[in-house]
Amino acid sequence: MTTLTRIRALAVGVAVSSTLLAGACGTSKAPVTAAPAAPTSPQATATGGGGLTEDQRERMTLVPQAKVQWDKAADTAVGNVPTSRLVDIELTTAGTAPGSSPAAAVPVWDVTVAAADGTVHDVHVDAVNGKVTRSRVEPGQDAEDKSKVAAELKAATTTARQAAKTATDRKAGTVTAVELDDDVWSVDVVTPDWNKTTYDIDAAKGTVVREHVDRD
């Protein structure tokens, strides 16, 4: 279990027991590159998603709604926590009731950033207007957790933007997630056929070590 996964597992445990339901540099950022436009699929649009899998239909609904691209949302989250760096970011939904239509989903960038000492913060950025809707310190972190996160970020000489560019240079599409885990940046790219390709990129060398296409 990775450090970040362990922190999140502890956070869930704290939330349940109390019955509450509830990666860019802070001081030096690489130049922002223009994010690819949301993919479009004439066939999918014409058929209303007919013939697509559930995951593909979800991407077809969610991705075009995200007017704020991942890099802008990452900048906003990092700017919200002084001297922090991006750990991961993912396009997801929030504020929808169980059983509600996917069209009612509110697109949100769920961002994890870490301060200089490795303290992990969870920040939500509205993917439509770019505003921070939640910012909190993840509970359950100890000194060892923070030290491991700080060390992994220090070793990641390849930035999240560089990793995302490497991925989209391989395959044009929309970046929907970037995550640093075990010295690897994992970048999800959604293509015009609504499939998702994940590229694992060595966080020190910047080279692609794995490519996986999710056609589900």
Side-chain angles (χ1 to χ4, degrees):
M1 180 180 292
T2 65
T3 301
L4 184 57
T5 301
R6 177 174 175 270
I7 291 172
R8 286 179 167 172
L10 288 170
V12 171
V14 170
V16 172
S17 63
S18 60
T19 66
L20 293 175
L21 295 177
C25 297
T27 58
S28 175
K29 302 185 181 71
V32 176
T33 56
T40 58
S41 172
Q43 180 180 4
T45 302
T47 61
L52 299 178
T53 68
E54 182 177 350
D55 287 345
Q56 289 171 327
R57 287 195 299 272
E58 182 178 352
R59 294 174 198 134
M60 185 178 68
T61 300
L62 181 62
V63 173
Q65 293 185 60
K67 306 306 180 184
V68 177
Q69 300 301 315
W70 82 272
D71 51 350
K72 300 295 186 183
D75 279 349
T76 298
V78 167
N80 188 72
V81 179
T83 69
S84 67
R85 292 185 62 183
L86 179 70
V87 178
D88 73 58
I89 181 169
E90 181 181 10
L91 182 62
T92 184
T93 59
T96 54
S100 61
S101 167
V106 178
V108 170
W109 289 105
D110 187 358
V111 193
T112 302
V113 300
D117 66 350
T119 299
V120 172
H121 296 247
D122 178 35
V123 183
H124 281 188
V125 178
D126 189 301
V128 176
N129 60 31
K131 295 181 179 180
V132 173
T133 58
R134 184 176 83 179
S135 182
R136 67 177 186 179
V137 175
E138 287 282 10
Q141 302 174 66
D142 59 25
E144 183 179 1
D145 294 329
K146 295 176 184 180
S147 178
K148 287 181 178 180
V149 171
E152 188 165 17
L153 283 170
K154 184 178 180 180
T157 53
T158 297
T159 68
R161 277 180 173 78
Q162 289 169 335
K165 185 177 186 305
T166 296
T168 52
D169 281 349
R170 287 287 192 95
K171 184 169 290 187
T174 299
V175 174
T176 58
V178 182
E179 178 184 9
L180 179 64
D181 191 12
D182 288 337
D183 301 318
V184 168
W185 286 109
S186 291
V187 182
D188 290 348
V189 179
V190 174
T191 46
D193 54 7
W194 305 111
N195 289 328
K196 180 180 73 177
T197 301
T198 300
Y199 291 94
D200 288 345
I201 298 165
D202 189 296
K205 300 177 182 178
T207 54
V208 176
V209 296
R210 178 178 177 268
E211 175 181 344
H212 173 70
V213 180
D214 181 0
R215 293 187 170 86
D216 291 339

